[in-house]
Amino acid sequence: SLHIDGLGIHADKAIVNLNLWVTPDEANRNASSGGLVVWTHEPSPGSSFAFYNSRDNAARLKAQLDELNATRVVVPYRCNRAVIFNSQFFHATDRFDFAPGFKNHRINFTLLFGRAGG
């Protein structure tokens, strides 16, 4: 299935992306998931920001990335882990299964630095 909990496949107009996770590891019921998926591929020059940031286009983007044999990197969730990467690479929240309850909500801080193309 192409359904991804959290943010679907997209790219940002920043230069650097920093994701920081702060929910305790014990809340994550699957230690191999819950983090981030990054494809080492950027949108084509001139492509529409609205297109590659729309959930409606996730299946098409996934198919394009597969067709291009784009490298897919899965970063598992760990509390206090910071992931720093090229913000223009396609990326998505990995599927996650956290325990129920407010204290177990998956909390992610995303900081974007710089402005791509400017």
Side-chain angles (χ1 to χ4, degrees):
S1 166
L2 290 175
H3 175 74
I4 298 175
D5 294 324
L7 290 177
I9 298 172
H10 67 286
D12 298 310
K13 283 190 174 181
I15 296 171
V16 175
N17 185 313
L18 182 147
N19 271 251
L20 174 65
W21 303 313
V22 297
T23 305
D25 288 333
E26 300 77 42
N28 185 0
R29 298 195 287 197
N30 182 350
S32 67
S33 69
L36 187 70
V37 180
V38 180
W39 289 265
T40 56
H41 187 78
E42 298 178 15
S44 302
S47 58
S48 162
F49 180 78
F51 174 80
Y52 62 77
N53 279 280
S54 169
R55 280 188 182 267
D56 295 339
N57 296 320
R60 190 181 309 173
L61 288 171
K62 174 75 170 70
Q64 288 176 357
L65 291 166
D66 287 347
E67 186 176 305
L68 292 166
N69 264 347
T71 300
R72 181 178 178 267
V73 178
V74 178
V75 182
Y77 181 94
R78 297 293 181 272
C79 183
N80 291 325
R81 174 173 279 172
V83 183
I84 302 170
F85 61 96
N86 177 344
S87 195
Q88 297 169 70
F89 282 167
F90 284 106
H91 53 283
T93 304
D94 194 11
R95 290 186 170 278
F96 58 89
D97 179 20
F98 278 47
F102 182 76
K103 69 178 185 165
N104 296 314
H105 283 199
R106 182 185 181 278
I107 299 173
N108 173 81
F109 292 100
T110 300
L111 305 173
L112 302 175
F113 299 92
R115 185 180 195 98

